[in-house]
Amino acid sequence: MRVVIAEDDALLREGLVLLLGSEGIDVVAAVDNPDDLLAAVDEHRPDVAVLDVRLPPTFTDEGLRAAVEARRRVPGLPILVLSAYVEDSYAGDLLARGAEGVGYLLKERVGKVSAFLDALERVVAGGTVLDPEVVSQLMVRRRTGDPIGSLTPREREVLGLMAEGRANQTIAELLVVTETAVSKHIRNIFAKLDLPPDDVGHRRVLAVLAYLRS
């Protein structure tokens, strides 16, 4: 796996380089601004880009805009965005431009090495990874009377894990239920949210994320 990194915090940037290198992952470029990121993408054509939402010069949405431009230059380039805070508007903006091969994690997740590497691998494989805390806040912020309020506590758990890109088998293992039960919960979720009852593969995740960012 060949990775480019864009992170203005030198300590975190070097930490990511060391972490990924220790796992046998080739970091072909580690930069601190969006222009150098795009140059690295053009030069190396990496397998994935890991970048901060907020980059110089204004530290607002430069990282997000660089991610969109990187995917324009390399169609389908997997992107894993890191953020210090829950900024669900940025998550929605990024996902609105195509959720396949996209991840949005809080920086604190990097410290949980196995979870971070798992997220990176799932994004490279074309999956969608949304930080659990972002999912939680998105659901909490739904308006009163919104269909999300009709979900049972168990259906909310299943929805959150779906939004993280988890497969049915993994959801069943995490919740200690059968896969048949998970499939039933997913069918109920689609019905209550008035979403297409498609319970196969990545399309179900896209449907749920489309609702969450609506």
Side-chain angles (χ1 to χ4, degrees), residues 121-214:
E121 291 174 357
R122 284 190 281 136
V123 168
V124 171
T128 303
V129 178
L130 196 58
D131 194 282
E133 184 62 24
V134 176
V135 174
S136 176
Q137 293 207 22
L138 281 169
M139 290 195 290
V140 167
R141 293 172 188 175
R142 295 302 94 187
R143 300 182 304 273
T144 301
D146 198 298
I148 196 73
S150 66
L151 299 183
T152 66
R154 177 62 83 185
E155 288 165 354
R156 285 172 178 259
E157 288 182 297
V158 172
L159 175 60
L161 292 169
M162 287 170 61
E164 292 175 35
R166 305 292 182 178
N168 281 21
Q169 180 179 352
T170 303
I171 294 174
E173 292 172 354
L174 290 171
L175 298 182
V176 195
V177 296
T178 65
E179 285 191 58
T180 300
V182 171
S183 295
K184 180 179 179 181
H185 288 312
I186 291 172
R187 287 195 298 270
N188 290 341
I189 289 168
F190 280 122
K192 291 180 179 180
L193 303 186
D194 195 26
L195 294 170
D198 190 338
D199 187 22
V200 180
H202 189 59
R203 287 173 293 175
R204 70 192 189 139
V205 180
L206 300 186
V208 172
L209 291 175
Y211 172 78
L212 288 175
R213 67 175 184 263
S214 65

Side-chain angles (χ1 to χ4, degrees), residues 38-62:
L38 294 176
V41 167
D42 288 338
E43 177 182 356
H44 299 289
R45 316 294 281 191
D47 298 309
V48 60
V50 178
L51 61 152
D52 192 352
V53 166
R54 297 185 174 188
L55 290 172
T58 68
F59 297 96
T60 54
D61 65 347
E62 281 88 352

Side-chain angles (χ1 to χ4, degrees), residues 14-139:
E14 293 306 313
L16 285 169
V17 171
L18 291 173
L19 169 61
L20 295 175
S22 70
E23 295 293 325
I25 296 172
D26 186 13
V27 178
V28 295
V31 303
D32 63 0
N33 66 82
D35 291 340
D36 286 347
L37 167 71
L38 294 176
V41 167
D42 288 338
E43 177 182 356
H44 299 289
R45 316 294 281 191
D47 298 309
V48 60
V50 178
L51 61 152
D52 192 352
V53 166
R54 297 185 174 188
L55 290 172
T58 68
F59 297 96
T60 54
D61 65 347
E62 281 88 352
L64 173 63
R65 288 190 280 112
V68 173
E69 175 60 19
R71 282 171 73 93
R72 187 191 69 79
R73 298 185 184 192
V74 181
L77 173 67
I79 299 287
L80 180 58
V81 173
L82 303 178
S83 177
Y85 311 100
V86 176
E87 299 170 301
D88 55 335
S89 61
Y90 289 152
D93 287 345
L94 182 63
L95 292 166
R97 291 168 170 83
E100 185 173 346
V102 171
Y104 186 98
L105 293 181
L106 294 182
K107 289 184 177 180
E108 65 186 47
R109 207 69 57 188
V110 176
K112 301 174 182 177
V113 175
S114 61
F116 172 69
L117 293 174
D118 176 63
L120 186 64
E121 291 174 357
R122 284 190 281 136
V123 168
V124 171
T128 303
V129 178
L130 196 58
D131 194 282
E133 184 62 24
V134 176
V135 174
S136 176
Q137 293 207 22
L138 281 169
M139 290 195 290

